[in-house]
Amino acid sequence: MKPLGPVPAGFDAVKGELAIGGQTVSALFEQAGKTPLFVYSQEQITQRIGDLRRAMPDRLRINYAIKANSFRPVLEHVSTLVDGLDIASGGELEMVEAIGFHLSKVSFAGPGKRDSELEAAIAAGVTLNLESANEARRALVIGERLGTTPRLAIRVNPDFDLKGSGMKMGGGPKPFGIDASQVPALAREIVEADCEWRGLHIFTGSQALSAEAVIDMQAKVLELAARINDDAGVGLPKLNMGGGFGIPYFAGDEPLDIAAVGAALEERFSALPANLQDTEFFLELGRYLVGEAGVYLTRIVDRKESYGETYLVTDGGLHHQLAASGNFGTVVRRNYPVAIATRFDAEPQEEVNVVGCLCTPLDRLADKAHLPRSDVGDIVAVFCAGAYGASASPSAFLGQGPASEILI
Ligand SMILES: *Cc1c(COP(=O)(O)O)cnc(C)c1O
């Protein structure tokens, strides 16, 4: 038997079934008319962001990295609760334009920005988080051609990373950001040219559950920003401190202690060096805001035995939930939190493998899981599906097409 990840708080049984926002999964399926289905809870997102704000210092702004979940109703809802949106492509720029979000509160990071993307962002008044000196110069040329002063910030590739994070995005050779030692000279160069200087972006990693690691990282980010600001001498209007707040996916994972992170940051903010006193500070978070508020629901279409093991074959799979299958940045495959949604209050009775409908051995949703007895027609729930689910899975693979999505 392999353990399942922890089911997030806020999901109850109603009439024996999993209920999301008070509605049973059967009712939700009826409403959507199609399986598989992602269900996102508006109430849980609201609550999560409220709790986070209460834990963090008042002066800290919170941005949403929309790549975690850009389903339009989710994006619209989150955008009413955060201070800014972070995008990473021209396509995501179109999404934030489509919901009418204030574009001066949008920043655009990501390597390999095309000229057309730089142009669209500059014209819209979006802040560019520059990923290279070359990109900085291209942005200045495009700004001049458009007659628009570009809003520019520099993404720093720091000389440290986020300890214990699932995905490292800084420290050592990386395609992201500009090596810290080169930043002061480039900052002076672009400020002397014609730009609206927005400051620095320092993102070091993702999916950290250790408060100690996050506190240590934030201290280093503030020190590095102060040092660069000293060297560059151009001021620091804004500092995007990155994020990296993780959520528990696997057995043994404990939630991040945001109270401890907030208290440590409050202390830092009360003793800032003189050259950061007037800086506006931002966190940019994706999965922490929306990940636990989403559930992926898929129906069992077959049940079979093979050499002594039981397989529940569903109509979903890795084409919607790549991360749960263990093929999105994980080394060892572990089980996400999974349940039989139509028998949510039943006791586990048997060991089963839950798989998807794709003709590849990679398509697994739970291995050797201890679950209630279930059959064809029952619904499987995969939790922690609110981030990097639909938006990060190969929905065209094998012609299966995307899942439905609803925000309730
Ligand atoms: C992906 C990404 C994020 C969001 O990461 P999460 O782990 O979802 O919080 C934030 N900032 C940048 C630059 C990113 O690339």
Side-chain angles (χ1 to χ4, degrees):
M1 202 173 75
K2 260 208 222 171
L4 294 167
V7 173
F11 295 102
D12 306 312
V14 171
K15 294 186 219 143
E17 287 194 12
L18 168 66
I20 306 167
Q23 301 185 56
T24 62
V25 289
S26 301
L28 290 164
F29 261 161
E30 212 159 293
Q31 199 177 315
K34 190 169 159 249
T35 65
L37 174 66
F38 283 94
V39 182
Y40 311 115
S41 161
Q42 191 163 316
E43 188 188 317
Q44 290 200 19
I45 294 172
T46 306
Q47 172 139 16
R48 170 53 63 106
I49 296 175
D51 289 348
L52 180 67
R53 285 207 189 267
R54 280 184 287 280
M56 294 296 137
D58 286 341
R59 77 179 278 183
L60 183 68
R61 309 258 194 269
I62 294 170
N63 282 4
Y64 175 52
I66 83 163
K67 79 174 192 283
N69 187 331
S70 53
F71 177 52
R72 182 166 172 156
V74 169
L75 183 57
E76 282 180 334
H77 181 61
V78 175
S79 73
T80 63
L81 303 169
V82 295
D83 302 303
L85 298 176
D86 293 320
I87 59 171
S89 73
E92 289 189 343
L93 173 58
E94 286 171 17
M95 293 177 196
V96 301
E97 282 178 324
I99 64 163
F101 193 76
H102 211 300
L103 295 170
S104 69
K105 296 180 183 172
V106 175
S107 53
F108 182 178
K113 299 183 192 79
R114 299 167 186 81
D115 279 351
S116 59
E117 292 174 301
L118 293 175
E119 185 169 325
I122 292 168
V126 162
T127 297
L128 292 169
N129 291 338
L130 300 168
E131 302 273 354
S132 74
N134 177 24
E135 189 176 287
R137 286 160 203 149
R138 283 163 56 220
L140 289 169
V141 169
I142 290 169
E144 203 171 291
R145 175 158 55 74
L146 295 177
T148 306
T149 307
R151 294 181 161 139
L152 302 181
I154 293 179
R155 178 168 180 179
V156 183
N157 178 9
D159 44 13
F160 55 86
D161 60 26
L162 174 52
K163 287 196 195 73
S165 70
M167 244 181 243
K168 297 193 193 311
M169 308 255 310
K174 289 280 180 299
F176 312 111
I178 295 165
D179 293 359
S181 61
Q182 299 166 19
V183 171
L186 183 67
R188 278 193 298 272
E189 181 186 327
I190 63 175
V191 168
E192 276 162 27
D194 191 22
C195 89
E196 187 179 320
W197 171 237
R198 288 291 187 118
L200 301 174
H201 173 211
I202 308 179
F203 180 78
T204 52
S206 242
Q207 183 49 22
L209 291 173
S210 153
E212 201 188 327
V214 171
I215 290 167
D216 174 65
M217 176 272 289
Q218 290 182 335
K220 286 181 178 157
V221 163
L222 288 169
E223 278 162 26
L224 177 61
R227 186 150 39 91
I228 290 174
N229 192 16
D230 265 344
D231 290 355
V234 293
L236 190 63
K238 293 175 196 285
L239 174 62
N240 178 333
M241 304 178 60
F245 292 17
I247 60 173
Y249 288 105
F250 306 117
D253 283 357
E254 293 288 338
L256 176 67
D257 182 353
I258 54 165
V261 172
L265 203 51
E266 190 81 65
E267 210 169 292
R268 290 261 158 203
F269 282 176
S270 67
L272 285 172
N275 70 358
L276 297 186
Q277 294 284 347
D278 300 324
T279 301
E280 215 181 339
F281 296 97
F282 292 84
L283 279 187
E284 55 173 357
L285 299 171
R287 79 186 75 227
Y288 190 80
L289 305 188
V290 295
E292 287 170 283
V295 183
Y296 175 65
L297 300 172
T298 175
R299 201 179 283 283
I300 299 173
V301 292
D302 201 1
R303 179 186 168 107
K304 58 188 279 191
E305 309 292 322
S306 172
Y307 295 104
E309 291 196 25
T310 301
Y311 284 82
L312 305 176
V313 185
T314 68
D315 64 0
L318 73 75
H319 52 303
H320 304 145
Q321 256 302 343
L322 187 64
S325 78
N327 295 293
F328 191 59
T330 34
V331 181
V332 178
R333 194 194 172 286
R334 290 178 289 170
N335 286 327
Y336 263 44
V338 167
I340 306 295
T342 33
R343 300 168 194 257
F344 196 54
D345 60 358
E347 290 300 317
Q349 268 184 337
E350 58 177 7
E351 187 183 300
V352 293
N353 300 296
V354 184
V355 300
C357 58
L358 302 189
C359 202
T360 157
L362 301 177
D363 195 8
R364 292 177 290 171
L365 293 174
D367 284 338
K368 301 190 186 326
H370 198 206
L371 291 171
R373 162 81 204 194
S374 62
D375 219 325
V376 172
D378 275 311
I379 295 167
V380 171
V382 181
F383 296 90
C384 296
Y388 307 110
S391 72
S393 301
S395 66
F397 191 29
L398 275 151
Q400 291 286 352
S404 304
E405 294 176 89
I406 52 172
L407 175 72
I408 58 162

